[in-house]
Amino acid sequence: MLRKNLALKLFITIIAASLLVGCNKTRDYKDSSRATGWKMNAKEGGFQYDPQTKEQETGPGLVFVEGGTFTKGRVQDDPMHDWNNSPTQQHVQSFYMDETEVTNLMYLEYLDWLKKVFPPSDENYRRIYEGAVPDTLVWRNRLGFNEVMTNNYLRHPAYAEYPVVGVSWIQAVEFSNWRTDRVNEMVLETNGITARNARYDVEPGETFSTETYLNAPTLTYGGNDSITRGGKKSESIAKRSKDSTNLYIGREDGLLLPGYRLPTETEWEYAALGLVGLRNYNVYRGKKKYPWEGQYTRSGKRRSRGDQLANFKQGDGDYGGIAGWSDDGADITAQVKSYEPNDYGLYDMAGNVAEWVADVYRPIVDDEFNDFNYYRGNVYTKNAIGEDGKVKVVTMDSIVYDTLSNGKIIARNLPGEILQVPVDENETYLRTNFSKSDNRDYRDGDKGSSRYYQSFADDESSDGTKRMYNSPIQNVYADSLGDLDRQYDKTSGRTTLVDNEVRVYKGGSWRDRDYWLDPAQRRYFPQDMATDYIGFRCAMSRVGSKSKKGKRPRN
């Protein structure tokens, strides 16, 4: 009897252990829903979804920058005593950045596309092309002979792989938007979603837009279901399947890339430091001075000892050194990739040209409010919806033109794009994370963020709020004939140039001394003006895992 009871208990224990192991075993939800258990992608219907995790493709020209924490704003030398940098601990998400600065050749491709799609010979399109052309007169100097650069730098093939200059912050943003659409247009064509060479068979008002395709694919390419090529009609946008619920590629397919954009100041500085390749304690604590290792601008390696590591101004009247061995190889800008990259594989993060970043300039960084992906400059918008309930797509008659403070007229959107409008109370009501569309002034001028807040007479920002900074207010208007009415601010009591229309630029240039090569240094410039020493490069957000390898293996 005792044996039978022991055997029964042992049998029950084994069964219970087996059930417990079975319950704890991880189930494979590859073909079924973790939420409901229902089978996915069934022929009979149900939820259609590709459960395979897809790695984000690296866009053309980009390299991967794995995010992390670093000390932002820690300059090693401060002879200028600007007091516009306070060291703050920040964390940056992983992202992608252009391997080099945007070159003349890359920008010429943009201009060529605009010229073909919106011929400047047509009065209706003239301002689109003219507003995108860089200001080549930035090379002129009252007491210098630089006409060779004025006439040749942008277009001569000898300068094709040199960084583009004379581009304002606004023009850099528009280039980034154009680049996004062209890259995703190629992705769709390569995958057979759009007809081959459809981009060559559209009218000016029917250009491809990524956001239009994602939000209203039937309106892409002007809403034409077919294009005519060689006397035969073919679909401009192919349907993925005969299932009417799954006609077009969406974000869930993982094919389309996030937008190209200007990097934030935090991203740029983090990428320039290139901390990923070093495991030195002092470097991690913010002691690194340049994008390369060491405290000097000349190489200490045996094979290249004494060579300059960047293109910058050596001293008064010395832009490259003595010709020969000691020369840095450039008197103005240098061809991209002329110097070694940093540990992220990024070239010219110090010297050559300074670079626009996305941020509106302020002398302080409000890390008490946010220390994750810090950025000042958010202006939230949404898609404009017509009375028919559909999104409004920009046409030739609805292009938004801006007259800049210098009188230049630019197009802020192109036909084929979705018209954007500011967010309203429908999006902001009872929210705690944002309360209005334009957040450039957030915690900057209100009583909660300044002990010494004061308004300047009756000056107001464009949104009707009091201005924090007593900066000039320039008004330039263009009449129906294109003549400019320039109303300069003649007030004598202005005390600063800082306002919501000035942007940060980072990195030293060919005109700067080595002091500015420190990635933490920061300066500002009006967003609608350009120089011969500021260029730019694009960035792209990373979706998915922080690391390209996914979860790090444990030792």
Side-chain angles (χ1 to χ4, degrees):
M1 187 68 179
L2 182 60
R3 286 185 176 181
K4 288 184 178 179
N5 289 337
L6 289 174
L8 180 61
K9 288 182 179 180
L10 180 61
F11 176 74
I12 293 174
T13 302
I14 293 173
I15 294 298
S18 300
L19 292 174
L20 184 61
V21 171
C23 291
N24 290 336
K25 184 178 180 181
T26 301
R27 291 185 58 185
D28 182 4
Y29 290 97
K30 181 178 180 180
D31 298 318
S32 61
S33 166
R34 191 183 300 274
T36 64
W38 291 352
K39 186 177 180 180
M40 294 192 297
N41 303 316
K43 293 181 180 180
E44 297 79 9
F47 185 54
Q48 301 294 310
Y49 182 72
D50 183 359
Q52 299 298 325
T53 301
K54 293 183 177 180
E55 182 77 17
Q56 179 179 344
E57 295 291 336
T58 303
L62 302 176
V63 297
F64 177 68
V65 178
E66 183 175 344
T69 186
F70 80 114
T71 303
K72 176 183 177 181
R74 177 169 290 178
V75 296
Q76 302 302 308
D77 303 299
D78 192 16
M80 304 292 289
H81 300 293
D82 280 343
W83 299 105
N84 69 347
N85 254 338
S86 299
T88 62
Q89 192 78 1
Q90 296 284 334
H91 192 96
V92 184
Q93 278 187 298
S94 297
F95 60 101
Y96 298 84
M97 182 174 276
D98 266 334
E99 183 181 28
T100 70
E101 295 131 341
V102 171
T103 64
N104 286 318
L105 183 61
M106 295 167 67
Y107 204 88
L108 285 174
E109 184 180 1
Y110 170 47
L111 295 180
D112 180 71
W113 184 90
L114 288 177
K115 182 181 291 186
K116 290 178 179 177
V117 177
F118 306 103
S121 57
D122 189 321
E123 185 61 29
N124 294 323
Y125 311 142
R126 178 172 59 87
R127 296 196 183 279
I128 294 178
Y129 179 80
E130 290 179 351
V133 175
D135 182 5
T136 59
L137 300 184
V138 295
W139 287 106
R140 284 183 172 170
N141 186 297
R142 295 179 183 86
L143 296 178
F145 180 69
N146 298 327
E147 288 304 290
V148 64
M149 276 84 78
T150 300
N151 296 325
N152 294 284
Y153 183 80
L154 174 64
R155 301 186 184 278
H156 197 284
Y159 294 115
E161 296 299 330
Y162 283 56
V164 67
V165 297
V167 175
S168 69
W169 182 90
I170 294 175
Q171 289 174 315
V173 169
E174 294 305 314
F175 171 88
S176 303
N177 295 337
W178 167 85
R179 188 177 178 186
T180 299
D181 291 337
R182 303 291 74 75
V183 168
N184 280 328
E185 188 175 26
M186 178 56 67
V187 169
L188 292 179
E189 181 177 316
T190 302
N191 285 274
I193 308 303
T194 57
R196 186 174 180 82
N197 296 325
R199 62 189 184 277
Y200 298 125
D201 295 273
V202 296
E203 298 296 325
E206 302 172 358
T207 55
F208 176 85
S209 166
T210 301
E211 290 302 315
T212 300
Y213 178 81
L214 288 171
N215 290 277
T218 57
L219 300 180
T220 307
Y221 288 131
N224 294 327
D225 292 332
S226 62
I227 57 176
T228 302
R229 182 179 294 108
K232 297 181 180 181
K233 286 189 175 182
S234 61
E235 288 186 332
S236 57
I237 302 177
K239 295 177 175 59
R240 294 183 59 219
S241 69
K242 295 180 180 180
D243 181 359
S244 61
T245 64
N246 195 22
L247 296 179
Y248 304 101
I249 290 292
R251 295 188 195 275
E252 64 274 13
D253 293 283
L255 279 178
L256 296 179
L257 296 176
Y260 283 82
R261 55 176 174 80
L262 291 181
T264 66
E265 179 182 1
T266 306
E267 287 175 334
W268 193 99
E269 186 173 329
Y270 175 82
L273 281 171
L275 300 178
V276 68
L278 300 172
R279 295 294 181 265
N280 181 286
Y281 178 78
N282 287 329
V283 170
Y284 174 77
R285 297 297 299 171
K287 299 296 184 181
K288 191 174 183 183
K289 187 173 184 179
Y290 299 116
W292 52 84
E293 188 175 4
Q295 297 292 309
Y296 306 100
T297 62
R298 290 186 182 272
S299 173
K301 297 179 180 179
R302 183 175 180 179
R303 297 188 63 176
S304 58
R305 184 168 295 158
D307 289 355
Q308 288 289 2
L309 298 173
N311 174 25
F312 64 99
K313 184 177 180 180
Q314 313 292 317
D316 291 342
D318 184 358
Y319 288 84
I322 301 173
W325 173 81
S326 181
D327 192 10
D328 68 6
D331 41 21
I332 53 168
T333 56
Q335 183 173 327
V336 296
K337 295 189 177 183
S338 294
Y339 304 91
E340 291 296 315
N342 72 358
D343 288 323
Y344 276 121
L346 301 170
Y347 292 85
D348 294 318
M349 296 300 285
N352 214 16
V353 292
E355 300 176 18
W356 289 113
V357 295
D359 293 59
V360 170
Y361 174 82
R362 290 293 187 270
I364 58 172
V365 172
D366 188 4
D367 65 313
E368 293 182 359
F369 181 78
N370 182 40
D371 56 5
F372 180 76
N373 284 349
Y374 187 90
Y375 166 62
R376 179 179 289 279
N378 282 314
V379 180
Y380 299 123
T381 62
K382 62 179 181 179
N383 296 336
I385 307 297
E387 296 180 357
D388 58 358
K390 298 180 180 180
V391 295
K392 291 184 178 179
V393 177
V394 177
T395 63
M396 289 306 304
D397 297 328
S398 59
I399 299 176
V400 177
Y401 290 97
D402 279 355
T403 303
L404 308 182
S405 62
N406 58 7
K408 192 166 188 174
I409 299 176
I410 65 165
R412 281 298 184 95
N413 50 31
L414 293 176
E417 299 176 356
I418 297 179
L419 183 65
Q420 297 294 302
V421 295
V423 299
D424 54 29
E425 60 181 8
N426 292 325
E427 287 76 29
T428 62
Y429 182 65
L430 291 184
R431 285 189 179 273
T432 58
N433 53 334
F434 70 99
S435 58
K436 60 181 182 178
S437 175
D438 189 345
N439 295 273
R440 291 175 295 178
D441 278 335
Y442 183 68
R443 286 173 61 94
D444 185 21
D446 57 354
K447 294 182 179 179
S449 63
S450 175
R451 292 178 57 191
Y452 306 106
Y453 168 78
Q454 67 178 42
S455 61
F456 298 100
D458 296 324
D459 292 348
E460 294 183 347
S461 299
S462 58
D463 61 357
T465 59
K466 293 295 184 181
R467 303 166 68 234
M468 173 63 173
Y469 294 97
N470 186 20
S471 56
I473 301 177
Q474 313 284 9
N475 294 310
V476 182
Y477 304 97
D479 59 24
S480 58
L481 299 178
D483 297 328
L484 297 179
D485 178 16
R486 299 178 174 90
Q487 299 179 12
Y488 297 111
D489 190 334
K490 299 180 180 179
T491 305
S492 60
R494 301 303 185 191
T495 57
T496 182
L497 295 176
V498 175
D499 59 22
N500 285 344
E501 310 302 322
V502 297
R503 301 283 172 166
V504 178
Y505 69 94
K506 300 281 283 184
S509 74
W510 64 275
R511 279 191 176 274
D512 295 314
R513 300 293 294 270
D514 58 349
Y515 160 71
W516 294 106
L517 302 184
D518 187 333
Q521 295 292 356
R522 59 202 303 262
R523 291 172 282 181
Y524 65 90
F525 204 71
Q527 66 180 24
D528 55 3
M529 298 180 67
T531 75
D532 61 354
Y533 59 87
I534 300 180
F536 71 102
R537 73 179 74 209
C538 297
M540 178 184 289
S541 298
R542 162 81 173 173
V543 295
S545 62
K546 176 179 183 289
S547 171
K548 271 199 164 187
K549 299 178 181 178
K551 187 176 181 180
R552 292 184 179 278
R554 294 187 178 274
N555 296 327

